[in-house]
Amino acid sequence: MRASRNRSAHVESSQTHVVCTQKGADEVPKKILVVDDEPMVVKMATDALVARGFEVKSAPDGYQVLLDAINFKPDLILLDVVMPGLDGHEVLARLR
């Protein structure tokens, strides 16, 4: 993980990739839902995003993300593709 000078958070693993920019300190923190079945990936992404001022919630699987998407109303979902149960492709299809 790395952060560039324009305050972008760049988070990537072999299965996830996102670039997001927070505009200013006076704005309401953007909400990001991090979904992955690997706890270390969730922790690394969450720590990096929280340190940059984002409001972050995590979900361990595809079923939980469907509930959290309704209740948390994230601005962005960082979604793993390969997960047991509902994979990322199925979650995306249901969210649409």
Side-chain angles (χ1 to χ4, degrees):
M1 284 188 232
R2 64 187 163 93
S4 64
R5 288 189 174 137
N6 66 1
R7 298 184 64 200
S8 292
H10 182 89
V11 180
E12 82 179 87
S13 76
S14 61
Q15 300 164 350
T16 57
H17 178 85
V18 67
V19 176
C20 46
T21 302
Q22 187 160 1
K23 297 183 186 215
D26 58 336
E27 292 184 14
V28 174
K30 301 296 183 197
K31 295 172 153 186
I32 300 177
L33 179 57
V34 176
V35 185
D36 201 303
D37 59 323
E38 294 291 330
M40 184 56 77
V41 173
V42 172
K43 180 172 178 11
M44 288 172 50
T46 299
D47 289 350
L49 294 167
V50 167
R52 287 162 180 82
F54 295 97
E55 182 180 349
V56 180
K57 182 169 178 58
S58 63
D61 58 54
Y63 297 107
Q64 186 63 47
V65 71
L66 296 175
L67 295 172
D68 289 342
I70 293 167
N71 297 323
F72 184 60
K73 297 183 184 356
D75 297 299
L76 174 76
I77 299 174
L78 178 59
L79 180 62
D80 186 11
V81 175
V82 180
M83 296 184 293
L86 285 180
D87 67 17
H89 297 290
E90 181 64 26
V91 169
L92 184 58
R94 291 186 186 197
L95 288 172
R96 287 185 174 165

